[in-house]
C-alpha cells in the first residue's frame, strides 16, 4: 500500500533565503538543496542553538510567498503555511498578526577557522567603507588623519604599491573629497589583483573585493551594490571583530543623544551591506536594528540604510569585543551613559504573554507573596500582564518557583522581535529542509519550522484494534514519533508539551493517552538509511516473536537505499519497491509505505495528484496493490476557495489504484495542532466517500 503526498505540506522558504553554516559561511537554501548537505543551526528544547544536519532536501516548486518584516528590520519570505515560533508555540504565518512577537536569534556564536593577515582585513574594511576603483586604481577617500595613517600602515605592510595624495579644490565636498590613490594595485575588467600574494596567493575578483564603485565617484547606483566578501564570514572571531572595527571607523558613530539615549550606529547606501553587518554583529551577541531613511547628499537626497545599537547589553558587548577605531572617546561616553543608567536601553524583553505561564506556575499563591520570595522590592501587580518582562525579572520568578522551563526561557538564545508587516510578494521558487528532532532552522536570522497520515494509521491499528505494528522511521527519531503519537492521541498541541505550557486538563489527557500507549503493540525502528535486506531481516525476527504482526509501515520509501551500486536512482527505487512487495508476500502482512510526489502536481490548476506523479519510478505504481494520495486544498489555495467557502482543515484521501476494490476519494479533516487526520462528518452525520467511475 502506497500513501503519497507532496513533501513538507507547503512550509517553504523562498530560494534565496540565507542560512548560516557551521564553518561560518552563509549560503542560500537553494544552494543547500543542490549540495544535499549542510550543517546548520537549530533551536533545541532548552532554547539554545545547536548544530544539526537536514535529513531531507525539498524542491517544492513555485508558490505564493509573503515577506515578513520585524521591528529589527529582519525580513524573510515564506509561504503562508510556514510556521514561526511565538511565545505560545509554533504558528503558521496565516495566524501571525502584525504586533505579534516571533523568535529570532539573540546571538549566533558561529565563527570560521580561516585567517588572513591583519593588514588584509583592515584594507578590505577600509576600501569597502570609503574606497573606490575609479579609473582602475583603488583609492581611499576618508579624510580623518588617524584613519589615513592606519590605512597607509596597512598598505605598507601589504607591500608592492605607492601612495599619492589628491587634494581637492572643493575640500569637504562629498563628490570631490581628498583621497589616497594606490599605484601598483591594478584593477581591470577581469577583476582586481592587489599583488599576486593577496590572500595567500589568491587573486580576488572585483566582485569579491569591492563589488562596485563607491559614492565618491558620484554614482549612487553602483555604491548600492557594496557587500561583505565571502571570505570574511569564515574568518576567526578576532579578525571578524577587526573587520567590523575598521568598517565602522569609516561610516559608524557613537553618540549620546539630547534625550539621553545612548546609540551606536552605521550607515551605508547598500541594503545588502547593512544586513550583512547586522548579521556579523549578531555573532557577538550584539542586537542591531536596520532601517531605511532618506539623507541629505550634496544638493539632493538619497536612500541610505542605518544600523542602530541601543540595547544596553549590546552596547557593552560591542565596546568590549569590537570597538570603533578613531572614535574611542565617543564610545567611552556612550558606555558611561549606559553604566550610569541615564537612559532606558533594554529592548531584549520577554513578551507579556509570559504572565499567563507564570500565573499557572504560581497557582494559588498571591503575586505579592511570590514577589517577596523572588526578592523583588516595591512590587505592585498593577502592571501584571500588561508589560513585557526583562530576562532578569523572569529569572527571579523562575528561581522562586523552581521552574526549569521559565529559567530556560530567561536564559535563552532567543530575542522576541515584533512583526511590523506581512505583505505578498508574488510567486517565487521555494525550498524546504527536513530537520530531525527539532524540526526548525534559522534563515535570514529568523527561526523557522518545517508524516502524519501513516502515523495515524499506526495509532488506530495498535491502540484501537490492539494489532501489532512495525514502524520503520527513516526520517524521525523514535522519541519524536512517540511524542507525536502521544499528543495526537491526547489531542494536545505538541508545541505546548515541548515548552511545558500545559493546562491542567491537558495533563490528565496526556496521562490517559500514555496509559493506552503503554500497552499498545507498536515497534519502532529509527535506523537511518536502511536497506530492504536489513528491513526484511528485522521484520522476520519480529514476526517470529509476534506471529500476529498485523502491519509494517515505512516512512518513507525514498529514504531507503538499495543493496548495491545501480546506474541511476530510478533503478534503485524500483529495486526497493520490489523488495517491499516481496516482504509483504513473504510475511503475509500489509506493508504501508509513504512516498513523495513529484513537482508535476504543482503545474495543474486543481493540484490534485495523479498516478504519474509518483516520484522517481514507475515501478512503485506497478508493484503496489493500493495507491492513496493525500490532498489538502488549504495548502495550495489558502483558508477559503474562490467562492468564499472555508477550506480550513479540509483534506481528501484519493484512492488512485486498488486491485480488489473501488477507486474514488474520502473526505477527511486535518487537525494541524494535533497532527491528526480524522473522518469528515457532514450534516447527515456520516463520512463521505465518492466512488470513481
Amino acid at each position: 500500500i502506497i500513501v503519497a503526498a507532496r513533501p513538507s505540506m507547503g512550509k517553504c522558504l523562498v530560494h534565496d533565503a540565507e542560512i548560516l553554516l557551521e564553518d561560518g559561511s552563509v549560503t542560500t537554501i537553494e544552494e543547500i538543496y543542490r549540495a544535499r548537505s549542510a550543517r546548520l543551526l537549530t533551536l533545541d528544547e532548552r532554547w539554545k542553538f545547536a548544530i544539526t544536519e537536514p535529513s531531507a532536501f525539498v524542491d517544492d516548486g513555485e508558490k505564493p510567498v509573503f515577506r515578513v518584516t520585524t521591528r529589527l528590520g529582519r525580513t524573510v519570505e515564506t509561504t503562508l503555511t510556514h510556521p514561526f515560533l511565538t511565545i505560545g508555540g509554533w504558528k503558521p504565518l496565516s495566524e501571525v498578526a502584525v504586533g505579534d512577537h516571533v523568535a529570532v536569534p539573540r546571538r549566533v556564536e558561529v565563527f570560521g577557522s580561516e585567517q588572513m593577515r591583519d593588514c588584509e582585513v583592515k584594507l578590505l574594511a577600509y576600501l569597502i567603507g570609503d574606497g573606490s576603483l575609479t579609473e582602475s586604481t583603488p583609492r581611499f577617500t576618508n579624510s580623518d588623519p588617524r584613519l589615513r595613517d592606519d590605512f597607509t600602515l596597512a598598505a605598507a605592510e601589504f607591500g608592492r604599491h605607492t601612495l599619492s595624495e589628491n587634494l581637492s579644490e572643493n575640500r569637504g565636498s562629498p563628490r570631490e573629497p581628498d583621497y589616497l590613490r594606490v599605484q601598483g594595485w591594478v584593477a581591470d575588467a577581469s577583476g582586481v589583483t592587489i599583488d599576486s600574494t593577496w590572500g595567500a596567493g589568491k587573486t580576488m575578483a572585483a566582485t569579491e573585493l569591492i563589488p562596485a564603485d563607491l559614492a565618491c565617484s558620484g554614482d549612487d547606483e553602483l555604491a548600492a551594490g557594496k557587500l561583505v566578501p565571502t571570505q570574511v564570514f569564515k574568518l576567526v572571531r578576532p579578525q571578524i571583530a577587526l573587520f567590523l572595527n575598521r568598517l565602522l571607523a569609516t561610516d559608524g558613530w557613537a553618540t549620546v543623544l539630547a534625550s539621553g539615549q545612548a546609540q551606536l550606529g552605521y550607515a551605508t547606501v547598500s541594503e545588502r551591506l547593512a544586513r550583512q553587518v547586522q548579521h556579523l554583529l549578531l555573532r557577538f551577541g550584539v542586537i542591531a536594528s536596520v532601517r531605511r531613511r532618506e539623507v541629505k547628499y550634496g544638493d539632493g537626497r538619497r536612500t541610505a540604510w542605518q544600523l542602530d545599537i541601543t540595547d544596553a547589553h549590546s552596547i557593552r558587548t560591542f565596546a568590549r569585543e569590537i570597538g570603533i577605531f578613531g572614535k574611542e572617546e565617543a564610545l567611552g561616553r556612550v558606555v558611561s551613559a549606559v553604566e550610569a543608567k541615564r537612559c532606558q536601553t533594554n529592548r531584549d524583553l520577554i513578551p507579556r504573554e509570559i504572565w499567563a505561564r507564570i500565573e499557572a506556575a504560581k497557582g494559588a499563591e498571591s503575586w505579592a507573596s511570590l514577589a517577596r520570595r523572588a526578592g523583588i522590592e516595591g512590587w505592585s501587580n498593577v502592571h501584571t500582564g500588561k508589560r513585557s518582562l526583562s530576562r532578569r525579572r523572569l529569572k527571579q520568578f523562575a528561581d522562586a518557583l523552581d521552574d526549569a522551563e521559565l529559567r530556560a526561557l530567561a536564559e535563552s538564545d532567543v530575542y522576541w522581535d515584533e512583526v511590523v508587516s506581512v505583505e505578498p510578494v508574488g510567486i517565487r521558487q521555494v525550498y524546504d529542509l527536513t530537520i530531525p528532532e527539532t524540526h526548525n532552522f534559522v534563515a535570514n536570522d529568523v527561526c523557522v519550522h518545517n508524516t502524519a497520515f501513516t502515523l495515524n494509521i499506526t495509532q488506530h491499528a495498535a491502540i484501537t484494534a490492539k494489532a501489532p505494528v512495525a514502524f520503520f522511521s527513516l526520517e524521525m527519531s523514535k522519541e519524536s514519533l512517540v511524542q507525536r503519537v502521544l499528543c495526537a492521541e491526547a489531542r494536545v498541541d505538541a508545541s505546548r508539551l515541548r515548552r511545558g505550557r500545559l493546562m491542567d486538563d491537558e495533563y490528565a489527557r496526556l496521562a490517559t493517552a500514555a496509559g493506552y500507549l503503554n500497552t499498545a503493540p507498536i515497534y519502532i525502528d529509527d535506523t537511518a538509511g536502511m536497506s530492504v535486506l536489513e528491513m526484511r531481516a528485522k521484520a522476520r525476527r519480529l514476526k517470529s516473536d509476534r506471529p500476529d504482526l498485523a502491519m509494517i509501515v515505512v516512512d518513507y520509501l525514498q529514504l531507503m537505499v538499495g543493496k548495491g551500486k545501480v546506474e541511476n536512482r530510478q533503478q534503485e527505487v524500483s529495486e526497493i519497491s520490489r523488495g517491499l512487495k516481496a516482504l509483504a508476500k513473504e510475511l503475509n502482512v500489509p506493508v504501508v509505505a509513504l512516498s513523495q510526489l513529484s513537482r508535476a502536481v504543482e503545474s495543474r490548476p486543481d493540484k490534485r495528484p495523479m498516478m504519474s506523479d509518483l516520484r522517481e519510478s514507475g515501478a512503485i505504481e506497478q508493484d503496489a496493490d493500493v495507491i492513496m494520495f493525500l490532498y489538502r486544498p488549504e495548502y495550495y489555495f489558502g483558508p477559503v476557495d474562490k467562492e468564499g467557502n472555508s477550506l480550513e482543515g479540509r483534506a481528501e484521501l484519493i484512492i488512485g489504484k486498488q486491485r480488489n476494490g473501488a477507486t474514488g476519494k474520502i473526505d477527511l479533516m486535518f487537525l494541524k495542532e494535533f497532527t491528526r487526520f480524522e473522518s469528515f462528518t457532514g450534516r447527515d452525520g456520516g463520512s463521505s466517500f465518492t466512488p470513481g467511475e
Side-chain angles (χ1 to χ4, degrees), residues 255-263 309-311 315 337 342-345:
T255 186
V256 179
L257 304 177
S259 63
Q261 174 68 59
Q263 183 190 75
I309 305 169
T310 57
D311 175 75
I315 289 174
R342 291 199 297 265
C343 51
Q344 296 295 324
T345 57

Side-chain angles (χ1 to χ4, degrees), residues 589-601:
V589 295
V591 174
V592 180
L594 186 66
S595 175
Q596 289 187 352
L597 292 174
S598 70
R599 285 179 51 190
V601 68

Side-chain angles (χ1 to χ4, degrees), residues 50-366:
I51 297 296
T52 188
E53 295 184 58
S55 60
F57 307 83
V58 180
D59 177 349
D60 221 8
E62 296 183 347
K63 287 186 170 57
V65 298
F66 295 76
R67 180 182 296 120
V68 179
T69 303
T70 70
R71 181 68 61 188
L72 289 178
R74 296 183 187 175
T75 64
V76 64
E77 296 178 1
T78 78
T79 54
L80 205 57
T81 50
H82 206 107
F84 288 76
L85 181 57
T86 70
I87 199 73
W90 291 96
K91 291 183 179 180
L93 179 56
S94 60
E95 298 178 12
V96 175
V98 171
D100 288 350
H101 290 78
V102 298
V104 303
R106 181 174 172 235
R107 54 175 171 257
V108 286
E109 294 190 54
V110 175
F111 296 92
S113 58
E114 297 186 7
Q115 296 190 57
M116 302 167 67
R117 290 188 294 166
D118 282 352
C119 65
E120 295 172 352
V121 176
K122 293 177 184 178
L123 290 174
L124 273 176
Y126 279 140
L127 290 174
I128 290 169
D130 276 336
S132 80
L133 299 177
T134 301
E135 299 175 357
S136 300
T137 302
R139 62 185 187 179
F140 182 57
T141 62
N142 194 289
S143 60
D144 186 295
R146 283 194 63 189
L147 269 61
R148 289 163 75 95
D149 289 346
D150 191 53
F151 178 87
T152 301
L153 288 173
E157 185 178 349
F158 187 90
R160 289 198 182 183
H161 76 285
T162 58
L163 291 178
S164 61
E165 187 170 26
N166 179 79
L167 297 179
S168 169
E169 294 181 0
N170 301 312
R171 302 190 66 154
S173 168
R175 296 192 179 274
E176 294 188 62
D178 298 342
Y179 60 84
L180 293 173
R181 185 186 297 275
V182 187
Q183 306 288 348
W185 297 351
V186 182
D188 56 34
S190 63
V192 178
T193 304
I194 300 186
D195 188 73
S196 60
T197 61
W198 175 272
K202 298 177 182 178
T203 297
M204 302 183 69
T207 53
E208 292 285 339
L209 177 60
I210 308 176
D213 203 357
L214 306 187
C216 62
S217 69
D219 193 332
D220 290 348
E221 183 177 350
L222 290 175
K226 292 190 291 184
L227 52 80
V228 176
T230 57
Q231 294 94 327
V232 171
F233 293 98
K234 295 189 285 185
L235 291 177
V236 293
R237 184 181 190 128
Q239 289 198 323
I240 289 182
L242 177 62
F243 175 83
L244 291 170
N245 175 283
R246 292 312 197 266
L247 183 66
L248 268 71
T250 60
D251 288 311
W253 64 85
T255 186
V256 179
L257 304 177
S259 63
Q261 174 68 59
Q263 183 190 75
L264 307 178
Y266 174 73
T268 173
V269 295
S270 169
E271 179 183 3
R272 181 165 174 76
L273 178 59
R275 296 194 181 281
Q276 289 176 321
V277 173
Q278 182 188 39
H279 165 77
L280 289 175
L281 289 169
L282 187 63
R283 297 193 186 186
F284 296 89
V286 175
I287 302 293
S289 62
V290 172
R291 60 189 175 100
R292 180 177 178 175
R293 53 179 300 215
E294 297 294 317
V295 297
K296 185 177 180 181
Y297 181 69
D299 297 331
R301 302 184 69 81
R302 67 176 177 182
T303 297
W305 297 86
Q306 180 170 315
L307 272 77
D308 295 319
I309 305 169
T310 57
D311 175 75
H313 175 77
S314 293
I315 289 174
R316 294 189 191 100
T317 302
F318 180 92
R320 183 177 63 252
E321 296 209 39
I322 300 172
I324 307 178
F325 181 76
K327 296 170 180 150
E328 293 84 358
E329 288 187 11
L331 181 57
R333 289 193 294 271
V334 167
V335 173
S336 296
V338 170
E339 297 300 341
K341 297 181 180 180
R342 291 199 297 265
C343 51
Q344 296 295 324
T345 57
N346 187 10
R347 298 175 61 181
D348 186 10
L349 303 172
I350 311 299
R352 61 178 180 269
E353 288 83 358
I354 196 61
W355 285 109
R357 174 69 180 82
I358 299 173
E359 186 167 17
K362 78 177 182 64
E365 184 180 9
S366 70

Side-chain angles (χ1 to χ4, degrees), residues 338-447:
V338 170
E339 297 300 341
K341 297 181 180 180
R342 291 199 297 265
C343 51
Q344 296 295 324
T345 57
N346 187 10
R347 298 175 61 181
D348 186 10
L349 303 172
I350 311 299
R352 61 178 180 269
E353 288 83 358
I354 196 61
W355 285 109
R357 174 69 180 82
I358 299 173
E359 186 167 17
K362 78 177 182 64
E365 184 180 9
S366 70
W367 284 108
S369 171
L370 176 61
R372 283 194 298 272
R373 291 200 299 112
I376 302 172
E377 298 179 359
W379 170 259
S380 169
N381 65 358
V382 159
H383 299 295
T384 301
K386 296 182 180 180
R387 289 184 177 177
S388 299
L389 268 178
S390 68
R391 290 178 180 274
R392 182 180 63 84
R393 181 58 53 86
L394 179 59
K395 177 73 161 49
Q396 288 176 286
F397 281 130
D399 289 342
L401 294 167
D402 194 21
D403 190 303
E405 174 65 18
L406 289 176
R407 190 177 296 114
L409 191 57
E411 299 172 347
S412 73
D413 289 344
V414 163
Y415 178 98
W416 297 99
D417 202 358
E418 182 184 356
V419 174
V420 296
S421 69
V422 179
E423 52 189 346
V425 292
I427 306 295
R428 304 284 299 276
Q429 170 67 45
V430 294
Y431 297 91
D432 200 11
L433 306 173
T434 299
I435 306 298
E437 305 292 340
T438 54
H439 307 292
N440 71 80
F441 56 100
V442 178
N444 285 14
D445 290 335
V446 177
C447 301

Side-chain angles (χ1 to χ4, degrees), residues 595-628:
S595 175
Q596 289 187 352
L597 292 174
S598 70
R599 285 179 51 190
V601 68
E602 312 289 345
S603 62
R604 291 192 292 275
D606 67 355
K607 312 299 183 186
R608 280 182 170 80
M610 301 165 54
M611 300 281 280
S612 58
D613 298 327
L614 284 171
R615 189 169 176 176
E616 292 186 311
S617 177
I620 299 175
E621 178 182 346
Q622 176 182 320
D623 296 330
D625 295 289
V626 178
I627 297 178
M628 298 183 287

